[in-house]
Amino acid sequence: VMSGKTLTIETGKRCAIRGKLTGKGNVKISFPYVRGDVYTNMSAFEGMFESTGGQLRLASAIDLSKGTLKLGAGVYAAHVKGGSGDEQVLTSKVGKLESSATDCTLASGVWNVGYLGENSTYAGVFNSAATLNKYGEGDLTLTGASSGKLNIYAGRVLVGNTSAATTSGQITVNAGGTLAGTGKAASVIVNKDGVIGAGKSTFSVGTLTLTGSLNVKSGAIIYLRARGTTKLSNDKLDVAEKITLNSPVFRIEHMNGEFKEGDEMKFFV
């Protein structure tokens, strides 16, 4: 598919999509019927693969690490056993994950995303059968209410759901990764050289809310920003349950303004 061009595919019943996909254009594919299975080799594709409707059934793991996966409204993406209704655990790679649809789902298997290092927003969910791993520089903003596990290995994940936990599953921040945002999450573990912070804007402070516990391991980094003004303001971590601090590194950035003797700031609330 050439750059600037779009290939639209409307699939039939019980079909199989095979072969090799290349180019930098866009593919829009819909699965309105049952058991349309994808076996396609996408390792050389650098464009956007957009599933616009139905079930995106990956019968083999895909390597879309050079391209973008976009899920449309109501799309259910899962790794499956070809020709059957059974889901299975496979690992797929995605350069950039994005969706503005709040009712799309990443299901069974492991989804490694972010290799392109570009910012994106995913408004859908990943369910309890899915594990979402964030790689690559750039920000991934999550605004849904998921239930799967989230592991951060590089770049930032910004939690943006302010009404419910962005995921009720365990979030683990590893070396090179950062968790921040102004929304809610459940329980978080931060390993050595991983970073937890708050806020999402360069210019304003914010509060990250955890409905569960926070466990910050030795050598992990708590990165918070503070502004000295007539009314002090700073990033905050609002943790509902137990906070465990095992010799972390506190990194406090002075954004602007002046501090005076006696000023106090509360970083955990």
Side-chain angles (χ1 to χ4, degrees), residues 1 17-23 39-45:
V1 183
I17 311 298
R18 301 181 184 273
K20 186 175 183 179
L21 179 62
T22 62
Y39 296 86
T40 310
N41 180 347
M42 305 186 193
S43 60
F45 184 59

Side-chain angles (χ1 to χ4, degrees), residues 131-215:
T131 297
L132 184 65
N133 295 327
K134 169 66 168 70
Y135 291 93
E137 297 303 316
D139 297 344
L140 173 61
T141 300
L142 301 175
T143 59
S146 299
S147 54
K149 294 180 181 179
L150 171 63
N151 300 304
I152 308 171
Y153 294 97
R156 291 198 307 174
V157 171
L158 302 177
V159 295
N161 190 332
T162 58
S163 59
T166 299
T167 180
S168 58
Q170 180 70 58
I171 298 177
T172 303
V173 187
N174 298 289
T178 298
L179 176 69
T182 55
K184 295 182 178 181
S187 294
V188 176
I189 296 172
V190 189
N191 290 322
K192 182 180 179 181
D193 294 325
V195 180
I196 186 169
K200 59 182 180 179
S201 168
T202 305
F203 308 104
S204 60
V205 299
T207 298
L208 176 64
T209 301
L210 303 186
T211 59
S213 61
L214 173 62
N215 186 348

Side-chain angles (χ1 to χ4, degrees), residues 222-242:
I222 299 174
Y223 170 68
L224 299 167
R225 303 162 303 160
R227 173 179 285 122
T229 60
T230 53
K231 184 178 181 180
L232 296 177
S233 60
N234 56 269
D235 288 332
K236 297 180 177 67
L237 298 175
D238 186 352
V239 184
E241 297 181 7
K242 183 179 179 180

Side-chain angles (χ1 to χ4, degrees), residues 40-45 61-66 91-94:
T40 310
N41 180 347
M42 305 186 193
S43 60
F45 184 59
I62 62 168
D63 180 358
L64 188 58
S65 55
K66 296 179 181 179
T91 299
S92 286
K93 297 179 179 181
V94 175

